[in-house]
Amino acid sequence: MFKTIKSTSPLFIKKRVTIFLLAMAVMIFSSAAMSVQSLRGDHALDADANKVMKHKIDTVEGGIKRNFKLQPPMIPHTIDKYKITLKGNGCMKCHSEKAYKKEKAPKVGDSHYVDRDGNTLKKVSSRRYFCNQCHAPQTKDAPLVENVYEGI
Ligand code: HEC
Ligand code: HEC
């Protein structure tokens, strides 16, 4: 009975409010002291951004070894000149049925002519039209983390 009266006494409430305010003040001051780092770094907003590192595309004669059987092979050459648009596919200038022999390029896989219903088409299937959705060129950069993947 006596205890209940004490805990709601005005003096006790005052003490709790003071502790709360003190804790808030400590939090506000300590967060202001921490420096906030954005992706931009501590660059001033009106200064030029750091230059983007250029990555040299790796050209590998004979292609890049696959790590597993159904892996889309990686592209062993540069691709910046070959455009893929609604009107045309720059990759097929060398990798199509018609052109591959002359260009000494590997022909796109037969799977690339099959649509989702299993029909084999004359033209590359729209499922495989955007080549770089699956195939990517490589650079000589060292991996950011060690890779212990073993191919099957
Ligand atoms: C000027 C002709 C040409 C064009 C255009 C071209 N390639 Fe190639 N590509 C080649 C040749 C030649 C090779 C074989 C290189 C080698 O093995 O030395 C090759 C290899 C590849 C390979 C490796 C195949 C394997 O089995 O290892 C892939 C994947 C590939 N190209 C994808 C593409 C994509 C995607 C594009 C369009 C962005 C493209 N290529 C445009 C000529 C071309
Ligand atoms: C949805 C993913 C996907 C897309 C899109 C795609 N490929 Fe492939 N590609 C693969 C896979 C997976 C393989 C390996 C298995 C196979 O041949 O189907 C392959 C194999 C290849 C090969 C090697 C064929 C062989 O017999 O060794 C070439 C060359 C190639 N693709 C070129 C292309 C080109 C050019 C395009 C665009 C017109 C393209 N691919 C679009 C997934 C894709």
Side-chain angles (χ1 to χ4, degrees):
M1 193 62 183
F2 177 72
K3 265 188 185 164
T4 352
I5 292 166
K6 194 185 167 195
S7 65
T8 50
S9 74
L11 192 79
F12 190 80
I13 290 172
K14 238 188 190 171
K15 209 168 151 189
R16 278 215 278 194
V17 169
T18 320
I19 290 171
F20 175 74
L21 287 177
L22 267 173
M24 286 292 285
V26 167
M27 268 167 64
I28 289 166
F29 280 116
S30 59
S31 66
M34 276 193 305
S35 66
V36 180
Q37 273 278 355
S38 72
L39 280 179
R40 195 182 160 81
D42 50 10
H43 248 63
L45 269 181
D46 54 358
D48 285 342
N50 289 332
K51 255 193 183 164
V52 179
M53 213 165 55
K54 276 206 171 163
H55 301 275
K56 201 165 171 276
I57 297 294
D58 216 359
T59 306
V60 185
E61 223 168 285
I64 301 164
K65 201 177 146 268
R66 296 182 207 193
N67 292 305
F68 56 95
K69 214 175 150 199
L70 282 180
Q71 181 199 321
M74 293 187 284
I75 307 174
H77 55 70
T78 56
I79 56 163
D80 41 355
K81 288 197 200 106
Y82 315 137
K83 289 206 170 64
I84 302 171
T85 66
L86 281 179
K87 284 190 190 140
N89 184 318
C91 312
M92 294 304 273
K93 281 188 190 132
C94 297
H95 288 288
S96 69
E97 183 87 45
K98 267 192 214 153
Y100 84 98
K101 276 189 193 143
K102 199 177 128 240
E103 299 292 341
K104 293 193 179 73
K107 182 166 72 80
V108 289
D110 293 342
S111 59
H112 294 41
Y113 290 94
V114 179
D115 72 5
R116 64 178 176 185
D117 300 319
N119 306 315
T120 303
L121 311 172
K122 287 213 172 83
K123 279 185 171 176
V124 77
S125 163
S126 53
R127 296 197 301 172
R128 302 288 176 123
Y129 191 76
F130 297 99
C131 319
N132 43 10
Q133 191 184 327
C134 303
H135 300 282
Q138 303 295 305
T139 66
K140 275 209 179 84
D141 300 308
L144 292 175
V145 290
E146 190 197 355
N147 188 348
V148 292
Y149 176 80
E150 276 178 35
I152 41 170

